């Protein structure tokens, strides 16, 4: 029987699914038929595989070849199946031992001359293989360090098809065997420090509270008040990613094709800051057969910063409402529905009006009519802003304020230590629950399991009765109050913590 099987992995979203590649050789008109829901890139693999086999000095079977990818109901896309297809065909032809194909995953794109090219999504593919009990995985040498991040995986990196065939024939090239130890992560090269944001004690406080509790942040103010500086320093306040989070973020970046060269494991919270011309597809992900994660998913466990937020398209901003609530992006297509994780900290920054000048005593006078200012800020929809926990207005500091604040501005290291301690308090409080940070707790659970005294909530309740807060906004004030209490080392929020949280939600004394 001229039939052989090899194993590959199909990556859908950031989840890997084992795929059995079967090759059958039969008498008849020479040709290659591919079945099993392949996309256009897989149909092109017929020519790539044939050229790679011939240019590797192997004999191409002069028979009718049928290659099936199973399960047939799983959509398959990309070029990572090239190597498994070539090995199965040559195994069916008797050129390589069929037994060598059993229990080994083959991943890689073939160049026409037989070289193995790197592919996206190697990390989730290896995770799926090891989870299924398959430890030996052949990958392109360029993907070897990424693949070696998975504990228990025996990685066999190869440069070309000829090397893979030698391996299957029991003649491996010793210089291509990779040690199982993963490379050490490099230190964070960032030198941005929160103390650089002089004259904005309120902005630094908002950043620290946002980092500790995972609260979304909206900064409004004229140019030069430090909005961008605060946003860029937020990742430095966040703790380093633990092993599970690092692998999850790295898997997203691998599928997106944005892993840093030479640093396969993402250990620091990512930071993404798209231009205001970004489309909804760029933010949440896009694709027809091959769906790639967008910037929201690339910022998973990190910060997504939208500078000049009112300049973004309304549809692009509203596309973020789902991931802000659920922590994931769901993209539906006719053939499949793909989900990407997207639990990020959103930072919006906006000027007060189209001319970018404020109306305060130390700022340039604004000539925009009130209708133009309202129309400009109204581009940020109410439902979107209602999901932003912290909303503050920044003004240009005076020279005296700059001098006085310069000695008071704490460093990012000190703020990060306080954030770390507050998060440890949250982890103890939420032990045994699906939540880890205050911003993740649903409002009903927060009120039922951790109720606050009536004297502590009086000011917030009054703002709610006056229509200054929605029910969702009231819950978010209480979440921020819990974070402030955690930062201060208090057991539960009191009137001062709730008042400060309300002030960070309704700046300018609107709640008084």
């Amino acid at each position: 029987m001229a039939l052989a099987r090899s194993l590959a992995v199909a990556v859908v979203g950031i989840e890997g699914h084992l795929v059995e590649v079967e090759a059958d050789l039969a008498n008849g008109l020479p040709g290659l038929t591919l079945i099993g829901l392949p996309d256009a890139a897989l149909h092109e693999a017929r020519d790539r595989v044939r050229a790679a086999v011939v240019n590797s000095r192997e004999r191409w079977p002069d028979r009718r070849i049928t290659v099936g990818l199973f399960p047939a109901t799983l959509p398959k896309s990309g070029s990572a199946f090239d190597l498994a297809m070539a090995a199965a065909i040559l195994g069916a032809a008797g050129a390589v031992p069929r037994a060598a194909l059993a229990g080994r995953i083959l991943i890689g794109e073939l160049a026409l001359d037989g070289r193995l090219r790197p592919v996206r999504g190697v990390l989730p593919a290896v995770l799926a293989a090891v989870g299924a009990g398959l430890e030996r995985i052949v990958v392109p040498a360029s993907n070897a360090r990424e693949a070696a991040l998975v504990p228990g995986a025996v990685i066999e990196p190869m440069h070309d098809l000829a090397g893979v065939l030698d391996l299957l024939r029991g003649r491996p090239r010793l210089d291509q065997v990779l040690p199982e130890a993963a490379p050490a992560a490099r230190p964070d090269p960032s030198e941005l420090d929160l103390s650089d944001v002089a004259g904005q004690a309120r902005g630094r406080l908002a950043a620290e509270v946002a980092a500790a509790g995972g609260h979304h942040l909206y900064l409004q103010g004229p140019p030069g008040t430090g909005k961008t500086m605060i946003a860029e320093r937020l990742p430095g306040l966040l703790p380093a990613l633990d092993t599970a989070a690092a692998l999850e973020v790295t898997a997203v970046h691998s599928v997106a094709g944005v892993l840093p060269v030479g640093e396969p494991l993402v250990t620091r919270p990512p930071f993404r800051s798209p231009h205001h011309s970004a489309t909804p597809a760029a933010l949440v992900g896009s694709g027809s057969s091959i769906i790639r994660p967008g910037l929201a998913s690339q910022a998973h466990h990190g910060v997504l910063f939208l500078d000049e937020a009112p300049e973004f398209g309304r549809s692009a901003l509203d596309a973020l409402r789902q991931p802000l609530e659920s922590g994931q992006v769901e993209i539906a297509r006719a053939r499949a529905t793909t989900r990407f994780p997207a639990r990020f900290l959103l930072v919006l920054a906006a000027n007060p009006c189209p001319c970018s000048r404020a109306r305060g005593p130390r700022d340039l006078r604004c000539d925009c009519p009130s209708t133009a200012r309202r129309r400009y800020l109204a581009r940020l929809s109410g439902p979107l802003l209602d999901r932003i926990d912290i909303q503050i207005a920044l003004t240009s500091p005076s020279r005296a304020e700059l001098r006085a604040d310069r000695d008071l501005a704490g460093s990012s290291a000190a703020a990060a230590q306080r954030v770390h301690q507050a998060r440890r308090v949250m982890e103890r409080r939420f032990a045994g629950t699906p939540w880890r940070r205050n911003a993740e707790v649903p409002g009903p659970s927060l009120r039922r399991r951790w109720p606050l005294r009536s004297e502590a909530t009086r000011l917030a309740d009054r703002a709610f009765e006056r229509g200054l807060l929605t029910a969702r906004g009231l819950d978010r004030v209480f979440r921020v109050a819990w974070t402030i209490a955690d930062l201060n080392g208090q057991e539960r929020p009191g009137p001062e913590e709730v008042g400060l949280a309300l002030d960070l939600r309704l700046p300018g004394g609107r709640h008084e």
Side-chain angles (χ1 to χ4, degrees):
M1 180 178 62
L3 176 69
R5 297 180 179 90
S6 62
L7 294 172
V9 180
V11 177
V12 180
I14 61 168
E15 296 182 358
H17 303 269
L18 290 186
V19 172
E20 190 176 81
V21 181
E22 292 186 339
D24 176 74
L25 275 57
N27 296 325
L29 189 65
L32 195 157
T33 302
L34 188 59
I35 59 175
L37 282 184
D39 69 347
L42 268 175
H43 278 295
E44 294 175 354
R46 294 177 296 187
D47 298 322
R48 287 197 304 271
V49 170
R50 185 182 188 281
V53 168
V54 172
N55 289 325
S56 299
R57 300 183 179 180
E58 298 290 333
R59 184 177 179 276
W60 181 259
D62 192 20
R63 304 173 66 180
R64 181 164 60 87
I65 305 171
T66 302
V67 174
L69 308 176
F70 303 99
T73 56
L74 178 70
K76 303 163 192 73
S77 58
S79 55
F81 299 94
D82 289 4
L83 181 58
M85 290 172 55
I89 292 171
L90 292 176
V96 296
R98 297 172 189 172
L101 299 175
R104 178 180 270 121
I105 300 291
L106 302 171
I107 301 172
E109 174 186 327
L110 288 173
L112 299 184
D113 59 359
R115 286 177 295 120
L116 273 181
R117 298 184 183 276
V119 295
R120 299 180 178 183
V122 166
L123 179 59
V126 176
L127 284 169
V130 173
L134 300 169
E135 300 178 349
R136 305 192 69 83
I137 303 150
V138 177
V139 299
S142 301
N143 293 124
R145 295 185 65 186
E146 177 187 347
L149 296 174
V150 180
V154 179
I155 305 302
E156 298 171 326
M158 294 292 158
H159 294 281
D160 50 36
L161 177 59
V164 176
L165 298 180
D166 285 343
L167 175 69
L168 296 175
R169 290 163 178 162
R171 303 191 300 269
R173 302 178 185 178
L174 296 180
D175 60 338
Q176 290 185 324
V177 178
L178 185 77
E180 295 186 26
R186 297 184 183 180
D188 181 25
S190 174
E191 297 180 356
L192 301 177
D193 199 277
L194 197 61
S195 61
D196 300 333
V197 191
Q200 295 294 356
R202 184 181 177 82
R204 297 195 302 270
L205 171 64
E208 184 174 331
V209 174
H215 304 288
H216 305 304
L217 177 62
Y218 174 40
L219 304 170
Q220 185 190 125
T225 52
K227 302 187 297 295
T228 301
M229 293 180 67
I230 292 173
E232 290 176 341
R233 284 151 181 78
L234 252 178
L237 306 185
L238 301 175
L241 303 178
D242 57 30
T243 302
L247 288 175
E248 192 174 29
V249 173
T250 303
V252 173
H253 289 201
S254 174
V255 174
V258 295
L259 273 181
V261 177
E263 295 184 30
L265 183 65
V266 180
T267 58
R268 291 295 309 167
F271 180 81
R272 291 292 182 270
S273 179
H275 188 262
H276 60 75
S277 62
T279 63
L283 288 178
V284 300
S286 62
S288 53
S289 59
I290 304 178
I291 301 178
R292 301 298 186 199
L295 294 166
S297 294
Q298 294 175 33
H300 184 51
H301 289 309
V303 176
L304 177 63
F305 175 45
L306 304 186
D307 199 6
E308 307 293 346
E311 300 293 342
F312 282 77
R314 183 70 173 263
S315 59
L317 292 172
D318 286 343
L320 296 174
R321 285 160 55 180
Q322 179 207 9
L324 287 179
E325 289 291 335
S326 64
Q328 68 176 10
V329 171
E330 184 173 302
I331 303 175
R333 293 292 184 266
R335 299 176 63 182
T337 297
T338 303
R339 295 175 180 84
F340 295 108
R343 192 168 294 281
F344 53 86
L345 197 161
L346 177 65
V347 181
L348 302 177
N351 294 319
C353 61
C355 75
S356 303
R357 292 178 290 187
R359 299 173 63 83
R362 291 185 299 275
D363 298 308
L364 296 174
R365 295 291 295 177
C366 170
D367 298 325
C368 298
S370 58
T371 55
R373 293 196 300 272
R374 287 196 300 268
R375 187 164 51 247
Y376 179 74
L377 293 178
R379 297 178 184 177
L380 301 176
S381 68
L384 175 65
L385 287 180
D386 203 30
R387 290 167 167 82
I388 307 300
D389 298 4
I390 302 174
Q391 305 177 24
I392 65 170
L394 303 178
T395 58
S396 300
S398 64
R399 295 193 59 172
E401 289 173 331
L402 286 173
R403 288 195 297 268
D405 187 61
R406 201 173 302 277
D407 296 332
L408 300 176
S411 66
S412 289
Q417 180 62 28
R418 293 191 293 270
V419 167
H420 177 69
Q421 293 175 353
R423 289 203 172 193
R424 292 184 63 183
V425 173
M426 297 176 205
E427 290 175 359
R428 289 194 294 268
R429 180 165 60 245
F430 299 140
T433 73
W435 317 301
R436 298 183 61 188
R437 296 172 295 178
N438 291 329
E440 301 172 5
V441 185
S445 299
L446 183 68
R447 294 190 299 270
R448 182 176 61 255
R449 302 182 61 171
W450 298 280
L452 300 181
R453 298 184 179 91
S454 57
E455 59 268 22
T457 66
R458 185 174 296 116
L459 197 59
D461 294 336
R462 188 184 309 162
F464 174 70
E465 293 171 358
R466 293 173 57 192
L468 300 178
L469 289 173
T470 64
R472 180 192 288 121
L474 183 63
D475 288 336
R476 293 183 181 276
V477 168
F478 294 151
R479 292 172 186 166
V480 174
W482 273 103
T483 300
I484 295 172
D486 293 336
L487 284 168
N488 294 337
Q490 296 181 337
E491 184 178 352
R492 65 176 52 243
E496 293 184 1
E497 287 72 31
V498 175
L500 178 55
L502 188 61
D503 190 59
L504 291 176
R505 175 80 181 190
L506 301 173
R510 285 187 288 158
H511 54 282
E512 298 177 355

